[in-house]
Amino acid sequence: MDRERIYKTMRNAGAGTIAMGIVIGTVGLTVGIISIVTGAILLRRRSEIEF
């Protein structure tokens, strides 16, 4: 009985960790792409920026 609970807990923890890793990877990739696009736009318009 106890081994079964331990197995289920480990299975759920493993599945949760995999899901969290996928979400974090997706968010990181999205933020990276947005940062690159924003930087490219700023570099393209740098002649229009005056201080």
Side-chain angles (χ1 to χ4, degrees):
M1 200 57 104
D2 287 334
R3 289 181 189 247
E4 197 172 318
R5 280 181 40 200
I6 292 170
Y7 173 76
K8 286 181 181 179
T9 302
M10 288 177 64
R11 183 188 63 196
N12 291 340
T17 304
I18 290 172
M20 194 182 328
I22 291 170
V23 169
I24 290 172
T26 304
V27 169
L29 184 64
T30 304
V31 169
I33 290 171
I34 291 171
S35 296
I36 291 170
V37 169
T38 304
I41 291 170
L42 286 172
L43 284 175
R44 197 175 337 148
R45 295 179 147 186
R46 68 180 168 204
S47 62
E48 300 173 15
I49 299 173
E50 294 181 18
F51 290 100

